Structures are given as structure tokens and as C-alpha cells.
Amino acid sequence: MKPSVLVTRAIFPDVIEHLARHFDVDDNQQDAVLDADALKARLAGKAGVLTNAADRVDAGLIAALPGLRAVCNMAVGYNNLDIPALTAAGIVATNTPDVLTETTADFGWALLMATARRVTESEHYLRDGRWQRWSYDMLVGMDVYGSTLGILGMGRIGQALARRAAGFGMTVLYHNRSRLPESTEQALNARYVSKDELLQQSDHVVLVLPYGPQSHHVIGAAELNQMKPTATLINLARGGIVDDAALAQALKTRRIFAAGLDVFEGEPDVHPGLLTVPNVVLTPHIASASEKTRRAMAMLAADNLIAALDAGPDAGHPQSVINPAVMGHRR
Ligand code: DGY
């Protein structure tokens, strides 16, 4: 008998077909909302689950599912998974790094350009019929070329942003939990600085750090006050890293020039203060959303599930295990 797995959200039909060669698949191609109770009910008796970043797998859910052996997240971020609880229960957890790095960095660049050069605001201005004639100060923005980029969180995506910055003649500052090897810093032409220095000196601050208790509200009122009044803030990482209420206030009072946000505290809800200020570009968590990359993410999550559950002779090893400590005492 094939093991049973749940795919919590609609995904590419051929990925479901791929999984169905190895598993008895309970899919959700109608994309019905699965709240915590529905998720628990659907997971009863399942050996594995393919989750997305909005599915919360916490200690309570894990305790209720003694047969669960693998949780494979279709996202690089995994703040939705309680990793210590999964590890303690002997459940393999995987994510989808690498396949989305360049696509996400491309989008970070799009958000940076749109924010600094007021692209969304300009389009609204034109569509609203307010463009009557040229004027020297109409919708003037901030330069990206030749400016200073501050990258908070210098993992794969941060480094991909730094590589793009070279083409824009930018000075790159970064801050990270651990400093990069000197050879990598040299290759990226990036200088390690304190968080304070990064906030004070950067023209554009981009957030690409993982979310967790240590990074909750890493950017709040005090940090926004440290930034240049001409600076922009881009959040590509996760809601909760920025105190959205403090940011809305800083944008309203023009304490900083503008922000570009792809992620929000409590998304898909957005702080109402962000919806009423013009100097923010808002997108619905789409940084990795290219056809090719979303397909690669889905296929990697599926292959991880097949490997984590040893489903078939060609299963191999899961490629991106978040909790390798579990491998010796798997359920
Ligand atoms: C990720 O992969 O973490 C993206 O934010 C999509 O959720």
C-alpha cells in the first residue's frame, strides 16, 4: 500500500501526478481554505505533507499526528514550522532553497527601483488624469545608480542582490549574524558593518533575513529614526521583521522617503496605515513568483517528500533538510 500524503494547497497538476506515482495523494486543487482544525483533520493518518509558507505546523498539531513523518515546505523560509518540535518528534522537515534565489533577488531589484523612482505612484498619477504638463520636480525620486545599498541578512538572496548592485556602481554594506569569509566579501565588493552603521549610512536598506523571535521587529521606530530621511526600506523577507505600524507612521511623516514591501505582519491583512500613504509600493508576497521558479519550488518540495518517506527505489535523499539532526532517529 502506498503511504498517504496531503498537499495543502493547489499546485501544478503535473506535480500532483508525480507525487501520485509514489503516494496516495489527498490534494486540495480546489484550493479550499484549510484552517488549523481542517488541516489537523485532513492530516489524520497521513505520513507526509507538502505545505506552503502560510500553513502553520506547530507543537499542538505535531502532537496530534503520531503517524506524520515528513513536512516538506514549498518555501525557503520556514518560520511557519516549529522545527524543535518536529525534530523532537523525529519528523523530517525540508524547504526549497537555491531554486528561488535569483528570481527573488530580481524582484527585490524591481521593488527597489519602483520604490526609489516612484513607479507605482507615477502610474496612479497618470491613470488618475493628473498629468497635465511637464514640471521640473514632478515625481522626483532617489537615485539607485551610484548610491549605497545596505543588505540586512547576507544569505543566498542577499548575496544575489549584492551581485546585482555591482552593475549599478553601488557601495554595498551588509550586516549578518555571521560575517562572510573575506574572499566572498571581496568577490561581492561588500563591507561588513554594524546594524547601526548600516541604517545610518545606506540610501537603500533591503531586508532579507529569516524571521524568528530574534528578528521580530528588527526594524521599529528607533531603527527607522536612524535612517536617512532620503532613504528607502525594502522588505523581501517576512512580515514581523518590520513593525508595520511604526513604518506606516514613518512614511506618513516622511521620516524616511519610501518603502517597498512584499511581506506584511499578519498577511494577507495589511496595516491600514500602509494603504493610505502614497510613498510605499505594496505587492502580495510574490518575490519568487515566476512560472519557472514556482515550478522548481513545487518539484523540489515533492522530491523532498518522496525522498523523506523513502517512497520507491529511486527516492534518494531529501535535498534540503532543515533538521538534519532528525535523520538518525526518524519516525
Ligand atoms: C519563501 O520561499 O520563503 C517565499 O517567501 C515564498 O513563501
Side-chain angles (χ1 to χ4, degrees):
M1 208 171 75
K2 290 181 192 171
S4 293
V5 298
L6 172 69
V7 180
T8 62
R9 297 291 310 275
I11 57 168
F12 300 94
D14 53 297
V15 176
I16 298 285
E17 282 163 31
H18 178 54
L19 285 168
R21 286 192 275 277
H22 302 263
F23 302 116
D24 183 3
V25 181
D26 179 6
D27 68 47
N28 182 11
Q29 291 299 76
Q30 314 84 336
D31 224 14
V33 175
L34 297 183
D35 62 16
D37 287 340
L39 185 61
K40 184 154 78 172
R42 288 281 281 268
L43 274 172
K46 303 286 188 326
V49 58
L50 195 156
T51 49
N52 103 342
D55 298 314
R56 191 144 297 284
V57 179
D58 58 20
L61 182 68
I62 294 162
L65 300 167
L68 191 66
R69 292 191 283 126
V71 176
C72 298
N73 214 30
M74 186 182 144
V76 65
Y78 49 82
N79 55 297
N80 58 314
L81 310 180
D82 184 334
I83 297 300
L86 287 164
T87 307
I91 300 172
V92 181
T94 65
N95 66 341
T96 57
D98 299 318
V99 293
L100 48 63
T101 301
E102 301 301 339
T103 299
T104 304
D106 277 355
F107 191 78
W109 216 263
L111 210 46
L112 167 60
M113 295 297 292
T115 303
R117 298 301 306 276
R118 304 173 66 177
V119 172
T120 316
E121 208 184 336
S122 296
E123 185 175 350
H124 287 147
Y125 183 84
L126 181 152
R127 285 182 188 270
D128 292 349
R130 285 187 279 150
W131 182 28
Q132 302 298 333
R133 57 195 179 128
W134 181 91
S135 71
Y136 78 98
D137 61 350
M138 183 174 75
L139 293 160
V140 292
M142 296 297 156
D143 277 319
V144 173
Y145 188 89
S147 65
T148 297
L149 177 66
I151 303 174
L152 203 51
M154 197 58 147
R156 300 173 186 84
I157 298 168
Q159 293 180 37
L161 287 163
R163 288 195 295 276
R164 281 157 179 74
F168 282 74
M170 297 173 93
T171 300
V172 179
L173 308 178
Y174 80 95
H175 183 74
N176 200 39
R177 265 176 311 192
S178 46
R179 192 169 168 174
L180 297 176
E182 211 178 310
S183 56
T184 312
E185 284 185 351
Q186 274 168 10
L188 295 171
N189 203 11
R191 186 159 66 85
Y192 181 82
V193 293
S194 68
K195 182 182 149 199
D196 289 345
E197 212 177 323
L198 182 143
L199 292 170
Q200 288 156 13
Q201 292 184 14
S202 300
D203 297 307
H204 307 288
V205 174
V206 184
L207 307 175
V208 270
L209 63 166
Y211 180 67
Q214 324 81 324
S215 57
H216 181 71
H217 287 189
V218 151
I219 301 293
E223 290 74 20
L224 291 161
N225 271 327
Q226 286 183 277
M227 291 173 65
K228 297 180 184 180
T230 50
T232 72
L233 177 74
I234 310 298
N235 189 4
L236 274 189
R238 277 291 181 272
I241 288 177
V242 176
D243 176 345
D244 283 351
L247 176 59
Q249 184 63 15
L251 291 167
K252 188 173 169 194
T253 58
R254 305 273 168 172
R255 179 58 201 78
I256 65 168
F257 181 70
L261 308 173
D262 188 47
V263 288
F264 305 88
E265 283 192 283
E267 63 185 49
D269 294 336
V270 175
H271 190 282
L274 293 171
L275 296 172
T276 51
V277 287
N279 48 343
V280 60
V281 178
L282 305 167
T283 54
H285 203 149
I286 56 164
S288 65
S290 76
E291 164 82 20
K292 180 172 157 233
T293 290
R294 282 287 163 88
R295 185 170 281 285
M297 290 165 71
M299 209 39 111
L300 176 54
D303 283 339
N304 277 333
L305 192 53
I306 293 163
L309 293 177
D310 279 326
D314 54 346
H317 290 286
Q319 287 174 50
S320 38
V321 179
I322 302 163
N323 55 351
V326 90
M327 296 310 266
H329 65 98
R330 282 204 266 174
R331 272 183 176 172

